[in-house]
Amino acid sequence: MTGRVVHFEVPYDDADRARAFYSGVFGWNIQPVPEFDYNFVQTGPTDDTGMPTAPGYIGGGMFQRQEDIGRPIITIDVDDMTKALATIAEHGGAAVGEPLPVGDMGIAAYFTDSEGNLMGLWQSLGSS
């Protein structure tokens, strides 16, 4: 189903400090993935593959704060990245950078909405 919030991202300045904070305060399971310079975040129960097992559960990620990505981001599921970015532009938003493949899982992109908020898009591989 498209249009669902499926992911969140939290930028950090100090990876160890951020991991310690979120795991210590909220009990999040945070797994560094050095080859992506990224940390996967599990905020609830998962199966052996890391996929959520509880309804409504949303996992996320953490990464080094960047100049253009300095605040938390929510990510929305889409069936077609190209079409979604075109529709966003038609409604007063704008793509930020180019869509990027994420391993064999899918395609990620950032955009600004009509109010200037930075948001994310996700297209799973196999989607049209």
Side-chain angles (χ1 to χ4, degrees):
M1 176 197 318
T2 64
R4 292 181 304 133
V5 173
V6 294
H7 189 76
F8 66 85
E9 292 181 314
V10 177
Y12 55 70
D13 295 315
D14 181 302
D16 292 334
R17 181 177 65 205
R19 285 190 293 262
F21 177 85
Y22 284 99
S23 63
V25 173
F26 299 110
W28 291 0
N29 180 8
I30 303 169
Q31 298 297 317
V33 185
E35 60 269 25
F36 289 116
D37 196 24
Y38 199 78
N39 296 267
F40 284 113
V41 177
Q42 297 171 330
T43 63
T46 60
D47 63 21
D48 291 340
T49 66
M51 297 305 293
T53 58
Y57 159 61
I58 299 171
M62 300 173 73
F63 58 88
Q64 183 68 45
R65 187 180 318 276
Q66 301 165 28
E67 185 176 326
D68 57 343
I69 308 172
R71 295 193 176 168
I73 298 167
I74 62 169
T75 300
I76 301 165
D77 187 48
V78 297
D79 285 333
D80 184 319
M81 184 67 68
T82 302
K83 184 176 178 180
L85 288 170
T87 302
I88 286 166
E90 290 170 6
H91 287 85
V96 175
E98 295 294 321
L100 297 172
V102 179
D104 61 356
M105 297 177 288
I107 303 167
Y110 294 109
F111 71 97
T112 53
D113 67 11
S114 61
E115 308 310 304
N117 296 305
L118 184 63
M119 306 287 278
L121 294 175
W122 175 258
Q123 177 188 331
S124 293
L125 288 181
S127 295
S128 53

